[in-house]
Amino acid sequence: MTVTVKPVRRRKASFLDRLYLPAIAKGLSITFMRMFKPKVTMQFPEERWTVRDEYRGMPVLVSDDEGRPKCVACSLCEFVCPPKAIFIVPDELEAGNNVERGPAVFDLNMLRCIYCGLCEEACPEEAIFMSKNYLVWGAEREDMIFHKDKLYELGGVREEGVKKWKDK
Amino acid sequence: MADVKTVFINGVEYPFDAGQTVIQVAHENGLDVPHYCYHPGLSIAGNCRICMVEVEGDAKPQVSCKLECAPPPWVSEPLRIQTESELAKSARAGTMEMLLVNHPLDCPICDQAGECHLQDYSYQLGQGQASSSTAKTKLPKNVAFGEKIVYDAERCIKCTLCVRFCEEVTETNELNLGGRGDEEIVIMSSKGEFETDYSMNIIDICPVGALTSRDFRFKSRLWFMDFADSVCTGCARGCNVITGGRNGSMMRMEPRHNADVNQWWMCDQGRLDYRYVNTPTRIATPRIKTADGVWAAATVDDAILAAAAALKAAGGNVLVDGGCTLEEMHLAQQLAAALGGKATYAAATGEADGFLRVAEQGANAAGAELLGLARATKAGAAAVLVVERDANVPQALRDGADAVVVFATDADHVPASAQVVFPFGSSAERDGLFVNTDGRVQVAQRNPGIGPDNLTPPYELLEEILGELDAGYDWHGRDGIVAAIQAQPAFAKISLPAAQATAEVGATS
Ligand code: SF4
Ligand code: SF4
Ligand code: SF4
Ligand code: SF4
Ligand code: FES
C-alpha cells in the first residue's frame, strides 16, 4: 500500500500575530466579561453534585428495616466481580439470627473496583448497592480496602426490596 | 415368553443384562436421565418421580429407575422408551413443580449450590413462577445428625437415599422417615450419633443440600475451588477420592467411584484426615541450618547443594514415610545405594473395620514391599528422612534416626538433627503411584489449589540430590522413573500407568 502524503500549507504569522499583544488583550477581555456573569465553579468538596438516580458510585452493604445485615455471604458478587475487588470469608451465624450464614470478612478493594455494578446485579439478597458516593479516597493503600463494618455504615438501612429471611 | 434382549431408548437399540432397569442402561450408555432417589449402589425406591420417561404405546409415563428393560411376558417386542419426548418432559416438569412448592430456595446460603441436582433440574425443567401461592412449610433447619452432619428438613426431598444407605450399606439403621405429608422429615435414632464411621457418605449421596458437612459448612463456594482426582492415604485401602482446595488450603475430600476399591464410599476418618494439610506450621520453602544453629530460608538450588554436601559427609540409610509414592520410594532406594546404606519405610498399624478400612496405615506399604524396602519397626540411624505424617513416622522414629536431610510437611516434625529441610507436599499435592492393599496400582494427582506455591515435586528434588552426589545417577524425569520401576522383576506382572495418565474418573452421583 502506498501512503500519499499531502503537505499542509501554513500561513505565515503576520506582524500583529508576532506581537502577541492583541491576543493578550482579547484573552483579558474575556476574563473581565466573566467577572460580571453568574459563578458556575462549585466549591468542592464543601459543595457536591447531586447525582442522578442511576448513578453508580461506590458499592456499599445495606441492612434491612430492622437493622439486620442483609448479606448472607453467598459470594456471588465475589464471583461476578470482574477485577476481583471483593473478598469474602463466609461464616456461620449464631442461632437466633434471621439467617444461618453471613460474612466474617467482607473486603471491598476500591483500588480495584471499576464501578461496573455487576455486584448489585448479581446479589440475590439485594444486600449490596451502588451508592451515590463518588468521593472515595485514602491516604494509604490499606485505607482503600473497605471492611464489612464500614461498608454497612456507608450503606445504612434500606427498607424496600427482598426480605427473604425476615421470618426465619 | 419371548426372549427380548434389547431395549430401544430414543430410537437407538441397546442390549441389557437380566434385571437391569431403563435408567441403568441409559446411564451406562451416556444418556442423561434425571434422578434423585436412584443410586447405583442402593436398592431402588422409585419415590421421587423425576426420572419419568415415556414408554411408547403407554398413555402414562413411568419411572425409569424401576422400569425393567425386559418387557412383560406377554409382549414379544423390545420396549421403546423416549426420554426427551413431550410427555416425559412435562411429567418431570410437573414433578419439579411439586418439589419446589415447599422448597425454601436457600441456594444463597446452601453449601450444595453448584452440585445440587434440584438446582440443575430446576434450570432445565423448572418455571420461573410458582403456580401455588400457599406459604411454604416451616421445618427444622440446622439439625445436628451426630457431630459431623447437619440436616435441613426444609431442603430435604424425602428421597430416602440416606435412610437406605444406613439400612443397606452400613446396616446400622440410624435414620428413618417421621411425620406425614408436608411435615415428613428424616429423623435420627434416639442415640443421636452414628454408630458407623461411614456416615458422611450420606452427604455425598443426598441429591440436595439437606445433608451437609459440619466440617465443610460455609467454608467455600464450589466454583472457587480446584479439584483433582487422587487417592486417600489414610490407610492402605487407597479409596479413590476427589480433593478440593482453594488458595492453598485443602477444603474437603470426597469419594470417587471405583467399583474395585471403594465403590462409592469412603470412611469418615479418611475423609476428615485431610486437616493436617492446613496446619499453620507447614513448611513452604527449603531451609538450611546456618553455622550458629538457626534456620534460614534457602533457594531450592542452594538447598540441593547443601543436602548433597551434608550427605557426602554423613552417608547412611534412608527412611521414608509409608505414604510416599512409588516414585519417591524408588528414588529413596537409589539414594540409599549411593550413600552406601539401605532404604526402609515406616508405617503405622491401626484397626481394620471390616468394610473399607484396613489395619495397614501406610498407603503405599504394598508398593514398598514390592520395591524391596524393609519395614522400619524401631528407630535406627538414617541420613535422610521423609515424613509426611506424624502417624507413620512418629517422634521416636524421627529423633532416633539422627537424619541430616529431612523432607517434611510440618515444621513440627523436623528432628533437631536436621541440617537441610525440604518442604514435602501432602498427599493432595504430589503426583504419583500407589499400590493398595490388594496390589492395585492407583494414580494420585496433584491439586494445584492446595499447598504452598511453587512446591518442587519431591521426586525432582531427590533426583537432583542424586545427581549432585556423583554416584553416576542420570536424570530420568517422572516417565523415566516409572519405566525404571516397571523394569524391576517384582513389577513384571503389574503394568504401571504412564506418568501423564489421568486417574480413572468414575461417575459421581
Ligand atoms: S462495582 Fe463491579 S468492580 Fe466494583 S465491586 Fe461491584 S462488581 Fe466489582
Ligand atoms: S451477592 Fe449479596 S448476599 Fe451474596 S455475598 Fe455479595 S453482597 Fe452478600
Ligand atoms: S436428607 Fe437428602 S438423602 Fe436424605 S431423604 Fe432428604 S433429600 Fe434424600
Ligand atoms: S478406608 Fe482407608 S483409604 Fe478409604 S477413606 Fe478410609 S482411610 Fe482412606
Ligand atoms: S430416580 Fe426414579 S423415582 Fe426417583
Side-chain angles (χ1 to χ4, degrees):
Chain A
M1 195 178 96
T2 47
V3 181
T4 42
V5 180
K6 189 177 160 204
V8 180
R9 279 203 314 132
R10 296 191 189 278
R11 187 173 65 89
K12 277 198 95 167
S14 67
F15 174 69
L16 268 184
D17 288 346
R18 277 182 277 139
L19 213 53
Y20 293 112
L21 283 177
I24 290 173
K26 195 171 164 190
L28 281 177
S29 71
I30 291 174
T31 309
F32 278 115
M33 261 153 58
R34 285 285 170 208
M35 280 185 178
F36 305 104
K37 290 199 171 161
K39 282 185 196 143
V40 292
T41 308
M42 179 177 263
Q43 296 303 311
F44 185 83
E46 289 80 13
E47 277 176 49
R48 307 271 176 99
W49 286 102
T50 24
V51 292
R52 295 163 59 122
D53 275 349
E54 58 273 35
Y55 185 83
R56 299 200 304 257
M58 175 188 169
V60 291
L61 292 173
V62 300
S63 308
D64 69 6
D65 49 357
E66 288 170 44
R68 295 181 301 207
K70 283 184 89 172
C71 171
V72 299
C74 72
S75 306
L76 289 182
C77 53
E78 181 179 7
F79 181 67
V80 80
C81 177
K84 301 202 187 307
I86 298 175
F87 175 74
I88 296 170
V89 179
D91 196 13
E92 182 158 8
L93 300 182
E94 281 161 27
N97 267 290
N98 53 330
V99 58
E100 292 168 89
R101 169 178 174 139
V105 174
F106 193 116
D107 284 352
L108 177 59
N109 187 340
M110 287 311 291
L111 290 169
R112 284 184 162 227
C113 177
I114 54 170
Y115 300 87
C116 63
L118 285 179
C119 48
E120 174 179 328
E121 208 164 311
C123 181
E125 306 299 331
E126 300 192 352
I128 192 164
F129 280 92
M130 303 305 282
S131 68
K132 303 244 161 42
N133 178 14
Y134 51 84
L135 185 62
V136 184
W137 68 279
E140 298 186 12
R141 279 179 170 265
E142 200 33 53
D143 295 349
M144 294 298 280
I145 298 172
F146 288 75
H147 303 298
K148 182 177 74 173
D149 295 342
K150 185 73 186 163
L151 291 169
Y152 271 120
E153 190 188 315
L154 289 170
V157 168
R158 196 158 179 126
E159 310 247 326
E160 71 274 24
V162 169
K163 288 192 198 93
K164 185 162 166 203
W165 314 102
K166 193 165 161 45
D167 305 317
K168 295 265 172 176
Chain B
M1 180 183 143
D3 200 11
V4 178
K5 288 207 163 56
T6 57
V7 57
F8 284 86
I9 306 181
N10 298 343
V12 183
E13 192 171 10
Y14 298 105
F16 64 84
D17 299 334
Q20 268 194 315
T21 64
V22 170
I23 206 170
Q24 288 166 343
V25 173
H27 285 176
E28 253 172 34
N29 291 290
L31 300 173
D32 183 26
V33 179
H35 56 98
Y36 293 122
C37 71
Y38 168 72
H39 189 283
L42 299 172
S43 66
I44 294 171
N47 61 27
C48 76
R49 323 307 280 179
I50 196 68
C51 65
M52 301 245 248
V53 292
E54 177 177 352
V55 184
E56 279 176 36
D58 284 6
K60 291 194 174 176
Q62 299 206 39
V63 284
S64 61
C65 64
K66 237 182 155 126
L67 177 66
E68 288 203 16
C69 295
W74 58 89
V75 179
S76 56
E77 287 288 298
L79 289 183
R80 288 171 183 272
I81 309 289
Q82 290 292 340
T83 67
E84 298 304 320
S85 65
E86 277 314 305
L87 179 67
K89 277 194 193 158
S90 76
R92 286 184 222 145
T95 303
M96 264 323 284
E97 197 182 346
M98 294 308 281
L99 280 174
L100 291 177
V101 165
N102 278 322
H103 193 80
L105 300 179
D106 268 353
C107 310
I109 62 163
C110 179
D111 275 335
Q112 190 87 356
E115 56 181 358
C116 176
H117 287 198
L118 194 73
Q119 212 178 29
D120 295 347
Y121 301 153
S122 181
Y123 273 115
Q124 286 168 18
L125 308 160
Q127 46 195 56
Q129 294 293 321
S131 342
S132 148
S133 59
T134 52
K136 297 190 183 232
T137 43
K138 294 259 181 288
L139 293 172
K141 289 174 97 70
N142 197 355
V143 181
F145 274 6
E147 274 180 3
K148 297 177 257 186
I149 299 170
V150 183
Y151 174 63
D152 187 312
E154 286 183 354
R155 295 181 196 153
C156 175
I157 59 167
K158 288 82 182 178
C159 69
T160 68
L161 272 180
C162 53
V163 177
R164 277 176 282 149
F165 177 84
C166 295
E167 270 171 23
E168 295 162 17
V169 178
T170 65
E171 298 177 3
T172 43
N173 304 304
E174 287 96 347
L175 301 178
N176 212 335
L177 283 188
R180 289 186 199 179
D182 273 4
E183 312 268 299
E184 190 177 41
I185 59 173
V186 176
I187 46 174
M188 197 177 184
S189 77
S190 54
K191 290 205 185 98
E193 185 54 87
F194 285 92
E195 277 166 48
T196 163
D197 193 40
Y198 290 83
S199 63
M200 291 179 85
N201 290 299
I202 62 175
I203 299 168
D204 308 329
I205 60 175
C206 178
V208 296
L211 296 171
T212 51
S213 155
R214 179 74 73 193
D215 176 65
F216 182 62
R217 191 165 162 84
F218 304 158
K219 266 209 198 142
S220 171
R221 284 311 202 175
L222 295 176
W223 45 85
F224 292 125
M225 288 164 49
D226 292 306
F227 295 97
D229 290 346
S230 188
V231 175
C232 173
T233 55
C235 80
R237 173 72 65 189
C239 292
N240 291 209
V241 297
I242 300 171
T243 58
R246 182 187 181 192
N247 292 343
S249 297
M250 186 149 173
M251 294 287 179
R252 71 174 194 189
M253 193 146 86
E254 284 198 318
R256 179 163 54 93
H257 175 234
N258 187 333
D260 298 320
V261 180
N262 55 320
Q263 290 128 2
W264 297 267
W265 326 119
M266 73 186 293
C267 74
D268 295 354
Q269 190 177 340
R271 185 192 296 256
L272 295 175
D273 202 29
Y274 77 86
R275 289 181 280 197
Y276 79 98
V277 176
N278 302 333
T279 160
T281 44
R282 271 303 286 272
I283 306 174
T285 56
R287 299 176 195 181
I288 301 176
K289 202 183 251 171
T290 56
D292 40 4
V294 285
W295 289 111
T299 64
V300 176
D301 292 345
D302 287 350
I304 288 169
L305 293 177
L311 289 178
K312 269 184 203 162
N317 302 330
V318 180
L319 175 62
V320 297
D321 192 306
C324 284
T325 64
L326 270 186
E327 293 90 323
E328 289 153 7
M329 287 180 171
H330 170 72
L331 289 173
Q333 254 179 332
Q334 307 293 314
L335 191 60
L339 297 175
K342 267 183 26 194
T344 48
Y345 75 97
T349 312
E351 254 175 57
D353 65 5
F355 185 30
L356 292 177
R357 213 175 158 76
V358 293
E360 173 60 74
Q361 307 281 289
N364 204 12
E369 298 288 344
L370 277 174
L371 285 170
L373 270 69
R375 193 178 181 111
T377 41
K378 55 183 190 329
V384 182
L385 183 67
V386 183
V387 22
E388 192 207 331
R389 285 165 189 259
D390 185 37
N392 282 339
V393 195
Q395 185 157 14
L397 276 186
R398 298 194 299 261
D399 289 347
D402 271 338
V404 289
V405 175
V406 175
F407 292 74
T409 309
D410 190 335
D412 289 348
H413 297 167
V414 178
S417 58
Q419 296 293 324
V420 185
V421 179
F422 290 98
F424 191 70
S426 68
S427 60
E429 297 151 53
R430 299 181 347 260
D431 289 308
L433 303 176
F434 288 87
V435 183
N436 86 345
T437 181
D438 302 323
R440 193 186 162 83
V441 180
Q442 309 204 81
V443 187
Q445 284 178 329
R446 169 167 190 268
N447 185 325
I450 303 178
D453 286 340
N454 308 321
L455 214 57
T456 318
Y459 60 83
E460 275 185 23
L461 294 172
L462 286 166
E463 281 212 305
E464 296 275 5
I465 295 173
L466 268 165
E468 292 300 328
L469 284 178
D470 307 323
Y473 183 87
D474 284 336
W475 170 270
H476 285 102
R478 201 164 148 230
D479 285 317
I481 301 169
V482 174
I485 301 171
Q486 181 75 78
Q488 297 185 12
F491 286 84
K493 290 214 183 84
I494 302 169
S495 103
L496 299 179
Q500 311 86 340
T502 50
E504 177 188 336
V505 181
T508 51
S509 55

